[in-house]
Amino acid sequence: MRTRLIGCHHLVLPDGQSEDMAVVELDEHGRYVSHHAMQRNGTSYVEEPFVEWQGGTIDLSL
C-alpha cells in the first residue's frame, strides 16, 4: 500500500480535537490513516523526508 504524508499548520480530527504542526498519513485513496506531531529540534521543526508541505488547516471533522 502506498501512502502519502502531508504537513500542515493545523489538523482538526473527527472528534473535534486539534493538533498544531502535524504530519498526516493518507492512503492511496486519500483517506486518513494516522497522524503525528512534526518532529522538533529544540525550538525549530525538522523537515521530515517524504513529507509534502501543504500548510494551512486539514479538517477531518467535515
Side-chain angles (χ1 to χ4, degrees):
M1 172 170 79
R2 184 179 163 110
T3 61
R4 183 176 172 201
L5 300 172
I6 306 290
C8 63
H9 289 100
H10 309 286
L11 171 64
V12 181
L13 298 166
D15 64 3
Q17 291 185 22
S18 64
E19 300 243 356
D20 291 332
M21 301 304 285
V23 175
V24 180
E25 181 179 7
L26 304 174
D27 70 10
E28 66 270 11
H29 302 290
R31 294 180 297 222
Y32 172 83
V33 174
S34 66
H35 73 279
H36 65 271
M38 198 168 283
Q39 297 176 11
R40 295 185 76 142
N41 182 9
T43 58
S44 61
Y45 292 95
V46 176
E47 186 173 336
E48 297 179 43
F50 308 109
V51 174
E52 300 173 50
W53 180 253
Q54 177 177 316
T57 300
I58 296 177
D59 190 344
L60 301 174
S61 69
L62 302 174

